[in-house]
Amino acid sequence: MSDETLAGSTAPPATSEDTPAAKATTRYARKAVFASSLGYAMDGFDLLILGFALSAISGDLGLGGAEAGSLATITLIGAVVGGIAFGILSDRIGRVKVLTYSVIFFAVFTGLTAISTSYWEIAVFRFLAGVGIGGEFGIGMTLAAEAWPAKKRARATSLVGLGWQAGVLLAALVSAPVLNAWGWRGLFLLGAFPAIVAIVFRSRLHEPEQFTRHRELQQGKPKVPLKLLVADGPTTRATIGVLVLTSVQNFGYFGIMIWLPTYLSTQFGYSLTKSGVWTAVTVVGMGVGILAFGEVADKLGRRKAFWLFQAGAALSVLGYSQLSSPWALMVGGAIMGAFANGMIGGYGALMAELYPTAIRSTAQNVLFNLGRAVGGFAPIVVALVAASYGFGFAIGVLSVIYLLDMVAMIFIPDRRAEQLA
């Protein structure tokens, strides 16, 4: 498989923007992006409420710091299993259908987390919720990338990434009041309900034309050749490079977000409510960064956009660890969030352009969720480092990983605005 084949040399027929078909596609594209964003928002909500609930769960179930941190790790390991399974199913039977299955799966086990009475029970439910969560990223990004015009593809996948931040922001705002009123069990019960909205909306969405055409060519039974991830030298280098990117992205994100409320509470004495507000400001910064990244990536190219944000992430994370005043922490958190998580939507466009329709959703889910598995160790690593050197030092150390990210970009082709194969 050549580098050209990896990029996708067979472009779908061009369509005039003035034709009824093009207008229908535009309406469909918006619905596809909204549906994908909605499901991804539920994932973000689920994972951050765990961060806010860790202290209460630890007290109720008698967990140590490492055990509490491992719950996030276990959730993310489950996401790897679900990412692979749901990704392959999506490439075989359809993006929309499997996306709905994954939402139902994680919603059920998020709700069941509320009945846990021991570490092992909650660990099992978190793992199974993670299996459902694993399907959301890759399938949603694929759906958006296949539905949206090539020149605006990074903006479309960034909007899906913004859905995650909307869910995280909601979690940051409601966690404290819900915990105070109903405890951590009530918080997880709440996390199961919003998925109903996503399921209803997706029931009115059909499969993208890109996948439908591919399925017809495969006589209704598309195969998922996993060897396409490592088909030749250029493809293998790109796959390894993307895996480094997704690992660093997730390690930095979960290392910061899972422990940020605790960091603000223990280091500066912030109340749970105040920690939630300051975390929310960081999340708003992430949202701004995501929107900005989509614009930059579509105008300057994928590689330049990633390098710019990776350098900004390294500097801003290091700078944040040195701050102490409330207003500096608020502004610094927003800047750190913009750079450290602004890249999240870019992975959807980047991977969509690297792999063909036959394996696009699988590639997205496998590579991103393997990165999640690596990133899942961040809460444990941060906890262990913080135990010896303090949370400020532990968060500051995270800045180093973004330098590795910048090197990995050298091995990844820039396929900006190319038609998908």
Side-chain angles (χ1 to χ4, degrees):
M1 185 177 182
S2 68
D3 194 34
E4 180 182 356
T5 304
L6 177 67
S9 57
T10 305
T15 307
S16 169
E17 293 184 359
D18 296 327
T19 65
K23 292 179 180 179
T25 300
T26 299
R27 288 194 296 271
Y28 171 79
R30 290 172 180 166
K31 288 171 63 178
V33 167
F34 181 77
S36 299
S37 301
L38 197 58
Y40 204 33
M42 300 305 100
D43 286 2
F45 182 87
D46 179 276
L47 282 172
L48 192 65
I49 61 175
L50 176 61
F52 277 100
L54 277 180
S55 179
I57 293 172
S58 298
D60 191 16
L61 302 182
L63 308 183
E67 280 184 319
S70 72
L71 293 177
T73 304
I74 289 167
T75 302
L76 297 175
I77 291 173
V80 177
V81 176
I84 295 171
F86 284 121
I88 291 174
L89 281 174
S90 171
D91 281 329
R92 284 189 63 87
I93 66 176
R95 284 60 165 115
V96 176
K97 185 182 297 184
V98 177
L99 202 54
T100 304
Y101 295 159
S102 70
V103 173
I104 295 172
F105 201 92
F106 98 77
V108 168
F109 288 105
T110 293
L112 287 175
T113 301
I115 66 172
S116 302
T117 58
S118 68
Y119 170 76
W120 289 109
E121 283 185 10
I122 196 170
V124 168
F125 289 136
R126 292 312 304 160
F127 174 81
L128 292 172
V131 171
I133 287 172
E136 287 293 309
F137 176 89
I139 305 173
M141 289 294 184
T142 297
L143 182 58
E146 291 179 346
W148 210 260
K151 291 184 178 180
K152 298 180 179 180
R153 188 175 293 130
R155 274 168 274 193
T157 56
S158 288
L159 287 173
V160 177
L162 191 63
W164 172 279
Q165 299 310 130
V168 168
L169 179 60
L170 179 63
L173 294 176
V174 307
S175 290
V178 172
L179 280 169
N180 290 332
W182 299 300
W184 66 270
R185 298 180 190 279
L187 195 56
F188 281 101
L189 283 175
L190 181 65
F193 289 111
I196 297 172
V197 179
I199 294 168
V200 171
F201 191 89
R202 284 181 180 141
S203 67
R204 306 182 183 187
L205 196 65
H206 60 79
E207 298 294 339
E209 292 181 10
Q210 182 82 22
F211 176 78
T212 302
R213 287 199 302 269
H214 171 69
R215 191 170 187 174
E216 290 171 353
L217 290 173
Q218 297 293 321
Q219 299 179 337
K221 296 180 179 180
K223 297 180 180 179
V224 185
L226 289 172
K227 64 181 180 180
L228 291 181
L229 291 174
V230 289
D232 54 25
T235 308
T236 301
R237 287 193 294 272
T239 295
I240 293 172
V242 172
L243 184 56
V244 171
L245 258 64
T246 57
S247 297
V248 170
Q249 173 69 31
N250 283 287
F251 198 94
Y253 179 84
F254 290 110
I256 293 168
M257 292 306 296
I258 291 295
W259 286 112
L260 189 58
T262 302
Y263 171 61
L264 294 172
S265 175
T266 59
Q267 193 86 356
F268 305 104
Y270 287 11
S271 65
L272 184 61
T273 300
K274 190 173 182 180
S275 294
V277 172
W278 259 244
T279 302
V281 171
T282 301
V283 173
V284 170
M286 290 179 175
V288 173
I290 289 170
L291 291 175
F293 185 90
E295 294 287 335
V296 173
D298 277 334
K299 291 180 180 178
L300 300 183
R302 312 315 188 211
R303 186 173 291 160
K304 289 180 181 178
F306 273 104
W307 273 339
L308 176 63
F309 275 70
Q310 287 158 354
L315 293 173
S316 60
V317 171
L318 180 61
Y320 186 81
S321 68
Q322 307 302 310
L323 302 177
S324 58
S325 73
W327 290 109
L329 285 165
M330 178 176 281
V331 174
I335 295 172
M336 175 180 68
F339 284 108
N341 206 50
M343 299 171 278
I344 188 68
Y347 299 107
L350 184 72
M351 287 187 276
E353 293 159 350
L354 287 175
Y355 303 99
T357 302
I359 198 173
R360 182 168 296 121
S361 184
T362 301
Q364 297 256 17
N365 264 350
V366 169
L367 297 179
F368 188 79
N369 283 300
L370 284 175
R372 265 182 170 173
V374 175
F377 289 97
I380 297 176
V381 172
V382 170
L384 293 174
V385 174
S388 299
Y389 302 101
F391 276 113
F393 180 84
I395 289 177
V397 167
L398 290 175
S399 64
V400 178
I401 64 176
Y402 294 101
L403 302 180
L404 178 63
D405 232 11
M406 297 180 75
V407 174
M409 281 305 304
I410 298 172
F411 303 100
I412 302 172
D414 191 330
R415 310 297 189 197
R416 174 176 53 134
E418 291 190 11
Q419 297 292 339
L420 301 180

